[in-house]
Amino acid sequence: MIARNPISGVGIGLRAEHYEYVKREKPTTPWFEVLIDNYLGHGGQIQQHLRDFSELYPLTFHGVGMSLGSCDPLNKNYLGLLKKAINTYQPALISDHLCWTGFQNEYVHDLLPMPYTEEAAQHVADRIIQAQDYLNTQILIENVSSYMQYRTSEMSEAEFVAYVCELADCHLLLDINNIYVSAFNHQFDAKEYLALMPENRIKEMHLAGYEEQGDYLLDTHGQTIHAPVWELYHEAIKRFGARPTLIEWDNDIPEFQVLQQEANKAEQILDRAQTHAA
Amino acid sequence: MLPELQKQFMDGLLRKDDRVYKQLDGRIRSAQQQLDIYRNSYQGGLLKAMKDIYPVTQRLLGGEFFEAMCLRYITQTPCQSLDINKYSETFAEFAEQFKPVDELIYLSDVIRLEWGWHRAYQTADITLEDFTPLLSFDSAKLQSLYLSLVPSMTLLASSYPVDLIWSANQNGQADTPENINLDIKPRYFTIWRNGFDSHIDLIEPDLFEFLLSIENKLNLGAIQNNNSNFEKHLVTCLQRSYFSAYHF
């Protein structure tokens, strides 16, 4: 498997609303994450933006298109386009989600959780292995936020995530906001969840804002990061040490400087952890 | 067991089949509440995509009405592409059958034009074939030739000035079709992209027929027999880079 160039510090999720600003101002952001599905198989200006940013910054690729938990066959066309983009742009990290997004050629474009069973773990791990073999690189899988639980689950979500990483020998993108949202929605202890994560497999963390919806939290990526998520992030960095961390924002996207302020906050937490470790 | 669970979930989400309820743990919130959260998210995602594709249609209908119409379409039309940008290809046909917009006689063609514009922007780049060898072909060889239109191209014929309606609603302008004379001759368009630039070209009916024949995979011999301006159109299309390739 191909080793990829390392990144560090706090990156920002690149969105079309900020293309012009980033190209013009060239902020000191150490790296950007691109939602790679938005670029695959498209041409014209869309491809040109990707070319431009790849020349300015280290990039990571984040997708939803592998649908790693689905019972449909892996989409070879999608994987082929992804492989071509990886070979062209050499991203520092490639990630997708521990979920499924559709079945029998119907797609929900949402991150549907798996039942936490032995059968599901073996199924998704086998597909991660196939994807890694095809792409010739290890990938990161991200824990998703969820709003439903299956009766058939045989283990906790945290146990499932750790088990799948082990079975597939893949890396983990630990989304701190998703842990908090799911912990609130399903009434489990987020810190106990952290304690079960495989430290050596965590290669990146995500931070984002949620939205309160009465008796549950919705992972909208449309607000600043909430205090309990910062607290959990601090706990995660204390436990695992500094990891490349991403600020995500997808709805009601504000000016780039707002994301930079969030990145600065995360950077301070990373710096404190590194000072403490030294 | 996993395939059956996924099948039941999709049927529950898309077709309101309640078999999936027994799969969900309802101790914290009911199975229906859990499924509703995902259904809202699914519909919201597709609605957002359609708002991005159809800004003029949205302006013509008003935001609230447009959303209600889209949600009706979304409920009837599951997304069958991994690429969300390919969703709503059949929205114009849906609009034609949607009684509440019967009076907006031009609406489905405005939707077709916006879809063509979106498609042109999204389509993958290709390398155009070198057409200079055609100059050396004799007449018999040319007659057996087939041409391909550039993949970004949409051909649109409309009885209404949808290009004028579209133009009047760009860059923050909002002009109602009441101010545009709808009583004009049918209009013919190519909607396509060349490099970074998307175009809506108003073309002659005869050129439209020529391009339609190319799209319908007729060879140049068959097209020449039915089109008196064949040579003129062939040159025009080559000059405008309407073709991507040729084969025999």
Side-chain angles (χ1 to χ4, degrees), chain A residues 115-127:
Chain A
Y116 307 133
T117 63
E118 178 69 28
E119 179 203 10
Q122 294 289 346
H123 172 77
V124 72
D126 180 55
R127 288 163 63 91

Side-chain angles (χ1 to χ4, degrees), chain A residues 81-216:
Chain A
L81 291 169
L82 179 60
K83 186 172 186 172
K84 194 174 163 195
I86 290 170
N87 291 338
T88 304
Y89 298 109
Q90 297 296 326
L93 301 169
I94 300 119
S95 57
D96 206 301
H97 299 81
L98 184 49
C99 72
W100 58 292
T101 63
F103 183 55
Q104 293 182 334
N105 289 322
E106 292 181 330
Y107 300 89
V108 296
H109 300 285
D110 199 356
L111 309 172
L112 306 171
M114 304 294 293
Y116 307 133
T117 63
E118 178 69 28
E119 179 203 10
Q122 294 289 346
H123 172 77
V124 72
D126 180 55
R127 288 163 63 91
I128 295 167
I129 291 167
Q130 285 180 52
Q132 292 186 140
D133 286 348
Y134 182 81
L135 299 173
N136 195 27
T137 189
Q138 271 183 305
I139 62 170
L140 287 68
I141 55 165
E142 178 186 332
N143 57 298
V144 298
S145 54
S146 68
Y147 314 95
M148 65 179 178
Q149 289 187 301
Y150 301 98
R151 282 181 201 274
T152 48
S153 286
E154 299 155 356
M155 58 187 104
S156 71
E157 181 188 328
E159 289 168 330
F160 184 80
V161 170
Y163 184 42
V164 169
C165 287
E166 197 61 36
L167 283 175
D169 189 20
C170 65
H171 293 147
L172 178 61
L173 192 175
L174 196 60
D175 190 310
I176 304 297
N177 182 58
N178 287 352
I179 296 175
Y180 183 77
V181 166
S182 293
F184 183 93
N185 291 345
H186 305 312
Q187 300 174 5
F188 64 75
D189 187 320
K191 289 182 182 169
E192 283 177 18
Y193 187 113
L194 281 186
L196 290 171
M197 292 299 99
E199 178 177 344
N200 60 338
R201 295 189 184 276
I202 302 169
K203 300 297 176 192
E204 186 187 351
M205 293 186 191
H206 271 184
L207 291 169
Y210 57 75
E211 199 173 284
E212 291 177 15
Q213 297 277 331
D215 70 339
Y216 69 94

Side-chain angles (χ1 to χ4, degrees), chain B residues 115-200:
Chain B
W115 176 256
W117 185 259
H118 165 75
R119 210 180 137 263
Y121 183 75
Q122 296 284 339
T123 303
D125 293 328
I126 52 152
T127 305
L128 300 185
E129 206 160 317
D130 177 11
F131 287 94
T132 48
L134 268 63
L135 298 171
S136 62
F137 291 170
D138 62 30
S139 175
K141 199 169 178 182
L142 267 180
Q143 299 233 335
S144 62
L145 192 76
Y146 294 85
L147 290 160
S148 304
L149 301 179
V150 289
S152 65
M153 185 172 288
T154 297
L155 301 175
L156 175 64
S158 178
S159 301
Y160 310 101
V162 287
D163 54 329
L164 302 181
I165 295 171
W166 186 85
S167 299
N169 284 279
Q170 298 300 308
N171 304 321
Q173 297 178 70
D175 202 354
T176 57
E178 286 75 24
N179 298 329
I180 294 169
N181 179 17
L182 297 177
D183 191 19
I184 56 176
K185 288 180 186 169
R187 291 158 84 84
Y188 302 88
F189 309 98
T190 55
I191 307 156
W192 64 297
R193 180 167 59 80
N194 187 11
F196 291 165
D197 302 320
S198 296
H199 302 271
I200 299 171

Side-chain angles (χ1 to χ4, degrees), chain A residues 216-254:
Chain A
Y216 69 94
L217 302 180
L218 193 62
D219 178 32
T220 52
H221 299 181
Q223 300 185 19
T224 53
I225 297 152
H226 292 73
V229 176
W230 282 121
E231 193 188 318
L232 193 60
Y233 176 62
H234 198 266
E235 185 71 25
I237 295 298
K238 253 195 329 190
R239 178 179 282 276
F240 304 122
R243 292 290 192 278
T245 300
L246 181 90
I247 306 297
E248 286 184 297
W249 206 308
D250 290 298
N251 289 300
D252 301 322
I253 295 174

Side-chain angles (χ1 to χ4, degrees), chain A residues 41-46 48 65 69-71 75 78 100 103-115 119-120 123 146-152 185-187 215-216 251, chain B residues 1-3 5-7 9-10 13-15 21-26 28-29 33-34 37-38 41-42 46 48 78-85 121-125 193 195-196:
Chain A
H42 300 302
Q45 288 180 342
I46 300 172
Q48 186 59 44
S70 172
C71 290
N75 187 322
Y78 174 86
W100 58 292
F103 183 55
Q104 293 182 334
N105 289 322
E106 292 181 330
Y107 300 89
V108 296
H109 300 285
D110 199 356
L111 309 172
L112 306 171
M114 304 294 293
E119 179 203 10
H123 172 77
S146 68
Y147 314 95
M148 65 179 178
Q149 289 187 301
Y150 301 98
R151 282 181 201 274
T152 48
N185 291 345
H186 305 312
Q187 300 174 5
D215 70 339
Y216 69 94
N251 289 300
Chain B
M1 191 158 167
L2 194 57
L5 186 151
Q6 294 189 352
K7 173 91 177 86
F9 181 87
M10 295 300 284
L13 189 88
L14 301 174
R15 290 169 277 278
Y21 289 174
K22 66 177 185 299
Q23 301 276 4
L24 302 179
D25 182 340
I28 296 176
R29 58 187 60 79
Q33 284 173 317
Q34 294 176 64
I37 294 171
Y38 282 98
S41 173
Y42 164 73
L46 293 180
K48 185 170 183 285
C79 181
Q80 296 189 312
S81 173
L82 178 62
D83 183 354
I84 198 168
N85 290 301
Y121 183 75
Q122 296 284 339
T123 303
D125 293 328
R193 180 167 59 80
F196 291 165

